[in-house]
Amino acid sequence: MGKRTAIPPLLPVPTGLKTPTDHLCDVCKSLKLSAERFVVLPSDNETENQPDDPKISLGLVEDMRKKSYCPFCRLVLTALGGAEVPSFEGGQPVAASITWRTEGGDSDSDGPSDHTPKIRVLYLSARKRNGERIDDRRLNLFPEITLLANDAPTSSKLRLIRPIKEDQIDFAMVRNWLSMCENWHGSSCTKSPLFRHEVRNVADEVPAFRLIDVVNNCIVRSPINLKYATLSYVWGSDENRPQRRLVALKSNIDQLERPGAFILPEFRDRIPQTILDTMQVVRELKMRYLWVDSLCIVQDGDPTVKEKAISKMDIVYGACFIMITAATGDAFVGLPGLRPGTRGRRQPIEEVMPGLRLAFIQRYQNEIKDSPYYTRAWTLQEMEFAPRSLVFIGGQVLFRCNKADQWREDVIFEDESVVAEEISEEKLNQSNDIGTFEGAIQTYSARSLTYNSDIYNAFAGLSNYIKSELKVNLCHGIPDAYFDWFLLWTSLAPQDRRPGAPSWSWSGWIGESWPKIWSWYDPSVRKIRHALPKRTWIIWYERVAHNSVECVRVWAPKKPSSSTNFYGGPVQKRFAFDCSRTLPTPRKLVDAPEYTKDILNSAPRSGFLQFWTVSVTFNLDTPTSEADTRGSFNTRSRVGFFGRNGREVGTLFVNPSWHKDHVPGKHEFILLCEGRDQRLSQRAKRGQEDLEPGWKYMVMLIEWHGKGQWAERVSVGFIEKNDLNESLGQGPAWKEIILA
């Protein structure tokens, strides 16, 4: 048999659940709810999870809100999303319904799997009365209701809801979670799947690595191989604070390294509450050391040392034992539930009738939409690299690791049979899936930065993973050995130009960017590496500096030559004009913008690309073709581009502000490479991606700046190969481009 652990004893049912006027409405009374209906008894003879029963209507949301006396109506509305649940949408009333589901099944590694369901839940949904879907983005995910464990008619309480301590978190329970992870998951949770680096001693790899000693209340230089925790949080602003927060500086670091420093009033009173609370959490976990950026990196120290430390955040978080995640508020709010009376949230339990208490099964994902933490760029790599985390959110703490999505205070799960259900090995080997790396870029680009100059700093840890797994360097965030196809990123919503980064990279724009090679070609990195050399012609160079004529290849194969293309493949004759000129023309740029230093690259350069390719000109105007409505909805402006005979040869999406100022009009495009048709309706079947039908010329709409010295990206699209000669004026031409 596998290891078992003691399930914490149940706390008493909270008082004050029922008021004298509470009673079920006629609709809810007809459901004939009972404790027995929420558990699967041996006599039920159910050997596998059952599909959903037919939906049971609870009526209109508007009517349910009027029945404030009905505890089940109240609980259903809370579980669906509370005040966010609309009574009407699009002129239609919204109705709520429930359906019964069964859940749970043991998977004992020492014996045959038992998939017999253990509990029943009520799954909730809301739709317009006519059956149409509503906009559910503000509603709770997978809302379910089940039985409070105290009322269970069976000896097993697994997967049922348990009451939590009303005043503060029970850290004996939390320490038990850590023990379970160490015992049941073993080495699988010693480091993140994204962190492949072997670290013998963090201090050898992170310059000036310091930790907070929560026992001696000071900062220490890290000894060898310490077990430490990290804090992941949102800094927040010092504005309107009575005094500035305490950070490590050259002027105070010697004092902060003296035992007892953090007890001194001149220091303690300036430590943000979240950091103070995290120090106490570390003590509750019976640990001693904690890493916090503001106190463990000297903020005004040697810029080279600080820059190198920032570039090693994957190591700092990847090598920690556990990360404390302050997902509620900022550095000054504190950790809910640590100090008495700070949960700030009542557990959603209702007494439906005497002896029958039901509860909403909460999930941390429902709190994300209101949490600044999940919008911040810095926190993404911290989440990805930490092997384990304690997340303080929604008035509770939950535990996450490589094999557990959320162990919670309010759900009974402390049994190996339940824990085994969560285990998945799929995420442990994703290095051949390009979507893993594109997804990192997409998720990061959607997040916000206080300072645009941090665009590369906050991505440094994730970039180390991408560089290691793809065997590439990054050029302003674009993997150099897959350069052409990673330039084809697009967006589904308007973006703002980010100063300090090039327009051709996702880093040059504020807003979510979508690199989608996995979708329009294939997820396999090996297949992409094989196909790309057959679909390109540009030799990409990057200018070293504006005041220099020197240009350096963005990437080069082991044996580059004039007869091979950028990736080492044979040069193909695609165009009916001379395309032999590929070397940059020596020139200096005047008054060109300076970009943020590309710390993701070991040899950072200007961010200005210089290369030769095909230039074409088309008229932009209102599209005549129908939009492809399959797939994700794009909120930018759709425009068509038209050739010499007035026929539409392609479409693309542009920011509405650009559309207003430039459409209709004649504009220049450059050909980037070949790519497959990105429209969902035109995508190739699996295994047919390399067949010729569907391959297009990928084009970039550009706009010239600096009195014609350099151009910037506006958008990308594609044209049919045989439409090249539709170009206006003199037709397609081989042209040198400087792309900023």
Side-chain angles (χ1 to χ4, degrees):
M1 293 292 290
K3 304 180 184 70
R4 300 279 167 174
T5 190
I7 297 176
L10 280 176
L11 296 176
V13 177
T15 58
L17 293 180
K18 186 177 176 62
T19 67
T21 59
D22 277 358
H23 63 279
L24 291 176
C25 66
D26 291 341
V27 174
C28 296
K29 193 180 299 182
S30 68
L31 299 175
K32 300 189 183 322
L33 299 173
S34 68
E36 287 75 15
R37 295 195 69 181
F38 286 90
V39 295
V40 179
L41 301 170
S43 57
D44 293 334
N45 198 30
E46 294 186 21
T47 58
E48 59 183 24
N49 283 326
Q50 300 298 308
D52 294 351
D53 287 344
K55 288 183 178 179
I56 303 169
S57 175
L58 297 179
L60 300 180
V61 168
E62 182 183 32
D63 295 336
M64 294 175 67
R65 284 205 165 100
K66 294 175 182 176
K67 296 184 286 189
S68 58
Y69 57 85
C70 177
F72 190 70
C73 281
R74 291 197 304 258
L75 185 60
V76 168
L77 292 175
T78 297
L80 282 170
E84 300 289 351
V85 183
S87 297
F88 291 86
E89 188 172 291
Q92 282 280 332
V94 175
S97 62
I98 59 174
T99 186
W100 287 97
R101 290 180 175 179
T102 55
E103 291 185 358
D106 293 348
S107 181
D108 190 332
S109 58
D110 295 324
S113 295
D114 174 14
H115 299 291
T116 303
K118 300 296 186 263
I119 68 166
R120 294 189 183 91
V121 301
L122 285 170
Y123 181 78
L124 319 175
S125 61
R127 285 179 175 262
K128 297 177 185 177
R129 183 166 57 182
N130 63 7
E132 293 178 359
R133 292 185 60 178
I134 64 172
D135 182 357
D136 58 1
R137 286 174 293 181
R138 295 289 303 175
L139 304 189
N140 289 328
L141 295 171
F142 313 118
E144 293 177 333
I145 289 172
T146 195
L147 184 65
L148 193 69
N150 305 61
D151 296 335
T154 55
S155 58
S156 173
K157 318 290 184 184
L158 293 175
R159 303 174 185 83
L160 299 177
I161 301 296
R162 60 184 161 203
I164 63 175
K165 292 180 66 174
E166 292 186 48
D167 56 344
Q168 65 186 124
I169 292 162
D170 178 3
F171 275 94
M173 179 184 292
V174 176
R175 290 191 295 271
N176 187 44
W177 297 345
L178 284 173
S179 176
M180 289 165 53
C181 177
E182 289 187 282
N183 289 335
W184 292 344
H185 298 164
S187 61
S188 297
C189 291
T190 56
K191 63 180 182 179
S192 164
L194 268 63
F195 186 61
R196 307 291 180 89
H197 189 65
E198 290 296 333
V199 179
R200 296 184 181 276
N201 182 30
V202 178
D204 290 341
E205 306 208 31
V206 181
F209 186 64
R210 295 178 171 89
L211 294 167
I212 297 171
D213 182 336
V214 301
V215 174
N216 287 336
N217 289 291
C218 63
I219 293 173
V220 296
R221 295 277 185 157
S222 173
I224 295 175
N225 293 330
L226 281 180
K227 184 165 81 170
Y228 65 94
T230 56
L231 171 63
S232 182
Y233 68 118
V234 174
W235 264 53
S237 172
D238 285 278
E239 195 173 333
N240 300 324
R241 303 282 173 190
Q243 53 187 338
R244 294 188 66 81
R245 80 181 78 204
L246 179 66
V247 298
L249 300 169
K250 290 186 292 186
S251 61
N252 66 17
I253 190 62
D254 289 341
Q255 294 170 282
L256 295 178
E257 288 181 344
R258 295 172 188 165
F262 292 138
I263 300 175
L264 300 175
E266 62 265 33
F267 290 146
R268 178 179 173 82
D269 293 347
R270 293 171 54 206
I271 300 175
Q273 190 62 54
T274 295
I275 297 177
L276 286 173
D277 285 356
T278 304
M279 292 167 66
Q280 182 58 32
V281 169
V282 174
R283 297 184 189 105
E284 294 283 359
L285 298 181
K286 309 303 181 186
M287 294 176 63
R288 181 165 184 170
Y289 297 103
L290 168 68
W291 188 89
V292 179
D293 55 0
S294 60
L295 293 172
C296 297
I297 296 177
V298 179
Q299 300 299 306
D300 62 350
D302 183 338
T304 303
V305 173
K306 183 178 179 181
E307 181 181 290
K308 189 173 181 181
I310 288 173
S311 72
K312 301 286 187 178
M313 288 299 100
D314 55 331
I315 294 176
V316 172
Y317 284 89
C320 76
F321 177 75
I322 193 168
M323 179 176 77
I324 314 300
T325 302
T328 303
D330 59 25
F332 300 96
V333 171
L335 300 178
L338 180 77
R339 288 163 285 117
T342 59
R343 279 199 190 272
R345 195 74 65 93
R346 172 183 171 270
Q347 192 175 4
I349 302 172
E350 292 282 2
E351 182 171 327
V352 176
M353 60 183 68
L356 179 61
R357 273 67 57 112
L358 302 179
F360 162 43
I361 303 175
Q362 299 182 84
R363 291 176 172 84
Y364 81 91
Q365 291 91 338
N366 293 324
E367 309 291 337
I368 288 177
K369 57 182 178 288
D370 296 318
S371 171
Y373 177 87
Y374 292 96
T375 69
R376 302 297 290 163
W378 281 100
T379 59
L380 176 62
Q381 61 183 0
E382 297 162 8
M383 292 168 54
E384 293 293 344
F385 286 111
R388 308 178 181 91
S389 58
L390 280 180
V391 183
F392 288 80
I393 191 170
Q396 294 193 41
V397 65
L398 58 95
F399 175 82
R400 304 192 70 205
C401 64
N402 290 341
K403 294 193 171 185
D405 178 57
Q406 50 187 313
W407 292 349
R408 304 180 54 94
E409 295 179 76
D410 58 352
V411 176
I412 299 177
F413 63 88
E414 290 92 344
D415 186 277
E416 194 174 16
S417 64
V418 179
V419 173
E421 294 174 14
E422 293 190 303
I423 294 176
S424 172
E425 301 294 338
E426 289 183 7
K427 67 177 181 177
L428 300 183
N429 183 18
Q430 299 177 326
S431 60
N432 190 45
D433 185 353
I434 201 70
T436 301
F437 312 103
E438 293 185 302
I441 291 172
Q442 176 187 329
T443 305
Y444 176 76
S445 65
R447 296 195 170 208
S448 61
L449 288 163
T450 302
Y451 304 103
N452 280 316
S453 57
D454 280 334
I455 183 64
Y456 301 131
N457 290 334
F459 193 64
L462 282 169
S463 79
N464 290 338
Y465 168 70
I466 293 173
K467 289 188 285 189
S468 172
E469 294 299 308
L470 288 181
K471 307 295 187 292
V472 296
N473 211 336
L474 295 185
C475 182
H476 288 271
I478 301 293
D480 56 5
Y482 303 85
F483 202 70
D484 293 69
W485 282 2
F486 266 92
L487 288 178
L488 303 179
W489 61 269
T490 186
S491 61
L492 297 179
Q495 296 177 305
D496 293 323
R497 184 78 170 88
R498 174 179 280 115
S503 68
W504 45 265
S505 172
W506 56 266
S507 64
W509 298 86
I510 299 170
E512 188 174 30
S513 298
W514 291 62
K516 299 175 69 175
I517 305 170
W518 68 269
S519 176
W520 60 259
Y521 180 64
D522 191 89
S524 168
V525 172
R526 287 187 288 270
K527 285 190 66 173
I528 294 165
R529 192 183 301 122
H530 178 74
L532 189 51
K534 304 174 185 177
R535 302 292 177 179
T536 61
W537 54 87
I538 297 175
I539 307 297
W540 299 100
Y541 290 87
E542 185 180 9
R543 295 179 56 82
V544 171
H546 299 328
N547 61 355
S548 170
V549 299
E550 183 182 1
C551 294
V552 178
R553 278 183 64 136
V554 171
W555 183 84
K558 293 181 179 179
K559 296 180 179 180
S561 73
S562 59
S563 62
T564 59
N565 63 24
F566 184 70
Y567 301 100
V571 174
Q572 301 179 38
K573 183 170 177 58
R574 289 180 170 83
F575 312 113
F577 40 86
D578 183 13
C579 303
S580 60
R581 194 170 179 185
T582 60
L583 292 175
T585 303
R587 68 178 72 179
K588 296 182 181 180
L589 300 182
V590 179
D591 297 330
E594 297 284 346
Y595 291 154
T596 300
K597 182 180 178 181
D598 182 9
I599 69 164
L600 309 182
N601 194 298
S602 55
R605 294 179 285 269
S606 71
F608 280 56
L609 302 175
Q610 190 166 339
F611 56 93
W612 290 80
T613 189
V614 178
S615 168
V616 290
T617 304
F618 295 112
N619 281 320
L620 293 185
D621 211 330
T622 303
T624 57
S625 61
E626 293 292 328
D628 187 354
T629 57
R630 296 173 59 181
S632 302
F633 182 68
N634 200 313
T635 59
R636 295 180 299 157
S637 299
R638 182 172 177 263
V639 296
F641 43 102
F642 299 82
R644 62 176 63 250
N645 64 2
R647 180 171 59 86
E648 182 182 275
V649 296
T651 61
L652 44 66
F653 290 90
V654 298
N655 281 339
S657 58
W658 193 92
H659 182 278
K660 179 182 177 182
D661 296 335
H662 297 89
V663 179
K666 184 185 299 184
H667 295 279
E668 184 176 359
F669 293 75
I670 56 174
L671 271 62
L672 295 177
C673 59
E674 291 184 23
R676 287 203 63 85
D677 196 324
Q678 299 193 27
R679 292 172 295 184
L680 191 63
S681 60
Q682 300 297 318
R683 289 181 192 160
K685 295 179 180 179
R686 183 57 57 87
Q688 298 181 5
E689 299 88 353
D690 293 315
L691 300 181
E692 189 54 35
W695 285 95
K696 318 288 186 183
Y697 285 144
M698 311 307 295
V699 296
M700 179 184 288
L701 172 62
I702 61 174
E703 185 176 44
W704 287 94
H705 297 270
K707 298 180 180 179
Q709 294 181 87
W710 64 85
E712 289 195 355
R713 174 196 196 272
V714 177
S715 185
V716 294
F718 57 83
I719 62 172
E720 297 286 349
K721 293 181 179 181
N722 57 12
D723 282 338
L724 194 59
N725 289 325
E726 286 293 310
S727 174
L728 304 178
Q730 298 299 313
W734 191 245
K735 182 178 179 180
E736 187 171 27
I737 305 291
I738 294 180
L739 192 62

